[in-house]
Every structure is written in structure tokens, then in C-alpha cells.
């Protein structure tokens, strides 16, 4: 049994209030540094270097006690076989392949303010009906593949109501003491099996690198999104870049700074699609470890939007029922402090 619990206080200004103006919000929040979660996992030795494995894991919102999406196991629920020689194959629900792969190359490790902010959460989704394979590491290289079935009769690419359609991806990684490099290609389809929105159902091309020198880790990445099934006239591509660094000042204290930039290609927008625009997000954060299991954190961020941009410092979908987005063209500042405990 394992998990983590995250809670703190959050500040956000210039939130569009639906009446043509904006408002400031103070709130108690859980999960700003990382999702609170609870899980079970196990391994059974089957002999000959083969093991049976399972994981059951759900997200938690400690401010109201609810689970992620009101599912019993919202993040992971799978069983599989692991071989020291051939790798691991598993089936069930899991993080989508880019969510499983991008965080390691994100200076803010997929916090509330992170690489997910300017892509409206496109890179931190989960999918059901997955079959996955993870290879062993060979001379520093490993490969991971994921295929998520839609499970719908007569509509191979479609998904059940409230679920993604058929989706898949492949990830190649190289790790060394000095340098890590990762490439990802994936396709995340909507319920109707289409690539119809750059920030919710699209193709993704990702490349990222980590450079580790003494007390510094420098991280950079580029992602291209394409949604060829978007409605006519709507923006159907975007390019996302970031650069950041973490300074491990002492074994207990670290400071991270990063800049993120999004450029949405030509085209109009509507309630669920972003129009041609661009935005830059600047973030500064720190952590202080009391022990190996408990730390304090603090982050402050500022986003500057172009005339048509409504990007928030947080990863709010454009058509979210409760949005943190500012009015078009407005900047926004956000900050949070809190504590994470791991068990």
C-alpha cells in the first residue's frame, strides 16, 4: 500500500467571471504540487525470472474527499507479467503514454503550474482498455508502447460516453548519468474516434532532454500538436516549447525556474477550440524537504497572452464548467504554497 497527500493555499487573479469582468480568487487546494493518491501494488514470483504484477491507484482531492472522476481507481488499474529478459506486458487502465513520459522532462514535474498549463492538460490524461509493453533497458535505451481500445461494436475508433476513443503511442528513451533524451509519438482520439481538438484529441510529437551537471539539472522540450479532424476554419495545430533548470542548493532545498511558450496556428476558435494565439508562462518554485517523505513547496507564476489568448497559469480546458482562464489578451498571476507527505 502506498500514496501521497498534498494540500495548501492558492492565489489567482484575473479570472474571467462570466459578466465581462475578472475576479481574484483565494482558495484551499489539494494537489497543486502533485496529485494526492492512494494505491495498492504487488508482485508474485512465478519462477524463471518471471513475475505477475498488479497496480490499483486512484487520485484523491483531500479538500472534499472525492476520488478522481468519482472512479474507484482513476489513475491505474492493471495486471501484467514481467520478465527480466523480455520486459513487461500489462492490460487495464493507466496514464496515457505522454502523461507517463513528459513529467520526467518537465522542470515543474507536472505540477498545477507546469508543461500542462499552456496545453490545457493535454499531456496529463488517462485512458482505459490499455494494452502496454515496456522493454528492458539495453545499453541505456528502452521502449514503451501503449494501445487503448475503444471497445465499441461497429465503431472501432470510437469510445464509450465520457471516454477517449481508440488511442495509441510509442516512447523511446535514452538514460545516462549526464544526459536523458526521450521521444514520443501518440494519438489521443475523442469519443467519436476523431482527432478534433489540438488540446484534447490530437496527434503529438514530443522530444525532450535533461542535462545533469553538478547541482544543476537543465530541461528542455518541444512538442507539436496536430488535429486534422478539427472543424473547418478552426486552428488545428500548435507548437509548445519550454526551458528550465533546477538548482539543488542543499540535500533539503531546491529552486526551479522555467519558461513555457505556446503558439497556436492560424484559424478561428470557439467554445472548445483555441484560436490562433500565443502565450508565455514564467514560473519560479522551491521545495524544502524535512524528511524523505515530507516536504514544503511554493510556486509563483505569470502568464502573458496575445490578443486572442485566454491561457491560464493552470491547465483549464477551454470549455471547462469551472474555468481559471482570464479574458482574451489578459495576463494572469498565480501562486500556491503547501505540503506533500508520501507514505
Amino acid at each position: 500500500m502506498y500514496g501521497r497527500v498534498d494540500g495548501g493555499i492558492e492565489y489567482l487573479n484575473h479570472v474571467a467571471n462570466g459578466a465581462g469582468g475578472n475576479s481574484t480568487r483565494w482558495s484551499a487546494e489539494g494537489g497543486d504540487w502533485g496529485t494526492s493518491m492512494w494505491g495498492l501494488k504487488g508482485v508474485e514470483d512465478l519462477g524463471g525470472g518471471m513475475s505477475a504484477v498488479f497496480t490499483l491507484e486512484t487520485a484523491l482531492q483531500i479538500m472534499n474527499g472525492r476520488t478522481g472522476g468519482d472512479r474507484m481507481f482513476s489513475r491505474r488499474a492493471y495486471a501484467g507479467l514481467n520478465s527480466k529478459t523480455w520486459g513487461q506486458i500489462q492490460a487495464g487502465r493507466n496514464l496515457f503514454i505522454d502523461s507517463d513520459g513528459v513529467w520526467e522532462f518537465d522542470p515543474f514535474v507536472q505540477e498545477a503550474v507546469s508543461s500542462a498549463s499552456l496545453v490545457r492538460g493535454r499531456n496529463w490524461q488517462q485512458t482505459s482498455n490499455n494494452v502496454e509493453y515496456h522493454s528492458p533497458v539495453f545499453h541505456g535505451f528502452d521502449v514503451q508502447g501503449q494501445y487503448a481500445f475503444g471497445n465499441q461494436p461497429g465503431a472501432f475508433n470510437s469510445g464509450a460516453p465520457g471516454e477517449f476513443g481508440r488511442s495509441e503511442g510509442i516512447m523511446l528513451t535514452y538514460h545516462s548519468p549526464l544526459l536523458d533524451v526521450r521521444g514520443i509519438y501518440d494519438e489521443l482520439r475523442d469519443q467519436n474516434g476523431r482527432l478534433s481538438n489540438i488540446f484534447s484529441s490530437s496527434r503529438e510529437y514530443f522530444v525532450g532532454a535533461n542535462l545533469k551537471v553538478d547541482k544543476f539539472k537543465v530541461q528542455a522540450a518541444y512538442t507539436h500538436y496536430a488535429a486534422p479532424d478539427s472543424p473547418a476554419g478552426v486552428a488545428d495545430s500548435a507548437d509548445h516549447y519550454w526551458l528550465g533548470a533546477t538548482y539543488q542548493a542543499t540535500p533539503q532545498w531546491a529552486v526551479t525556474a522555467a519558461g513555457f511558450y505556446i503558439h497556436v496556428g492560424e484559424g478561428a476558435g470557439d467554445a472548445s477550440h483555441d484560436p490562433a494565439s500565443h502565450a508565455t508562462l514564467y514560473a519560479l518554485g522551491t521545495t524544502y524537504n524535512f524528511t524523505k517523505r515530507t516536504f514544503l513547496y511554493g510556486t509563483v507564476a505569470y502568464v502573458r497572452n496575445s490578443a486572442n489568448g485566454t491561457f491560464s497559469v493552470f491547465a483549464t480546458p477551454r470549455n471547462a464548467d469551472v474555468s481559471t482562464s482570464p479574458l482574451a489578451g489578459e495576463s494572469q498571476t498565480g501562486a500556491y504554497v503547501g505540503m506533500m507527505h508520501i507514505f
Side-chain angles (χ1 to χ4, degrees):
M1 185 177 70
Y2 66 96
R4 63 189 191 193
V5 182
D6 179 312
I9 299 172
E10 182 182 284
Y11 165 82
L12 187 64
N13 72 2
H14 290 184
V15 182
N17 59 24
N22 58 61
S23 302
T24 295
R25 187 189 76 184
W26 286 91
S27 56
E29 295 291 342
D32 274 335
W33 191 92
T35 304
S36 296
M37 65 178 72
W38 178 83
L40 298 167
K41 61 183 176 182
V43 178
E44 182 185 11
D45 188 353
L46 302 178
M50 184 80 72
S51 299
V53 299
F54 79 89
T55 298
L56 299 171
E57 181 182 287
T58 192
L60 300 170
Q61 174 48 261
I62 68 168
M63 292 303 164
N64 57 29
R66 300 177 68 173
T67 60
D70 292 328
R71 300 174 188 257
M72 182 174 289
F73 296 108
S74 59
R75 288 171 57 86
R76 308 177 197 265
Y78 64 77
L81 292 172
N82 178 275
S83 166
K84 295 178 180 179
T85 304
W86 302 106
Q88 180 167 311
I89 188 167
Q90 63 193 53
R93 180 175 173 83
N94 203 358
L95 303 180
F96 189 54
I97 193 166
D98 66 337
S99 179
D100 210 14
V102 168
W103 71 268
E104 192 176 350
F105 293 81
D106 179 349
F108 281 84
V109 292
Q110 297 280 51
E111 291 182 35
V113 171
S114 67
S115 66
S117 298
L118 299 185
V119 298
R120 300 194 181 278
R122 166 61 171 81
N123 58 14
W124 65 16
Q125 301 298 329
Q126 301 91 34
T127 51
S128 299
N129 313 312
N130 283 327
V131 177
E132 298 186 34
Y133 171 73
H134 304 248
S135 77
V137 178
F138 183 72
H139 294 294
F141 288 92
D142 67 88
V143 64
Q144 177 180 338
Q146 183 185 82
Y147 193 96
F149 290 83
N151 278 15
Q152 301 306 297
F156 186 71
N157 287 337
S158 299
E163 300 281 353
F164 289 106
R166 180 178 68 86
S167 301
E168 63 277 321
I170 189 166
M171 178 165 68
L172 178 66
T173 307
Y174 172 73
H175 284 298
S176 75
L178 176 66
L179 180 68
D180 304 322
V181 181
R182 174 168 291 164
I184 303 173
Y185 172 78
D186 66 67
E187 295 183 351
L188 184 63
R189 290 176 174 82
D190 65 19
Q191 178 186 321
N192 298 315
R194 299 174 65 81
L195 303 168
S196 60
N197 189 313
I198 49 180
F199 296 136
S200 63
S201 46
S202 55
R203 290 193 178 102
E204 176 183 26
Y205 306 81
F206 169 89
V207 60
N210 296 337
L211 178 64
K212 295 163 283 187
V213 180
D214 195 24
K215 294 183 177 182
F216 289 90
K217 180 165 69 172
V218 181
Q219 299 175 275
Y222 164 73
T223 312
H224 175 73
Y225 297 99
D229 299 324
S230 296
V234 168
D236 63 0
S237 67
D239 295 286
H240 188 208
Y241 310 80
W242 70 77
L243 175 65
T246 297
Y247 173 56
Q248 192 70 47
T250 70
Q252 294 78 30
W253 179 45
V255 179
T256 299
F260 303 85
Y261 175 78
I262 189 74
H263 178 266
V264 180
E266 294 303 314
D270 56 28
S272 58
H273 296 82
D274 280 278
S277 58
H278 57 89
T280 305
L281 171 67
Y282 304 97
L284 178 66
T286 186
T287 58
Y288 183 84
N289 292 272
F290 289 116
T291 69
K292 292 182 178 180
R293 298 195 302 159
T294 303
F295 64 88
L296 297 178
Y297 62 82
T299 297
V300 60
Y302 170 81
V303 65
R304 183 177 179 85
N305 282 293
S306 66
N308 294 324
T310 60
F311 292 99
S312 171
V313 297
F314 301 134
T316 305
R318 186 172 176 85
N319 58 348
D321 291 335
V322 179
S323 177
T324 63
S325 293
L327 296 171
E330 281 200 342
S331 60
Q332 186 179 71
T333 300
Y336 49 81
V337 294
M339 183 185 78
M340 169 77 80
H341 177 73
I342 301 167
F343 62 90

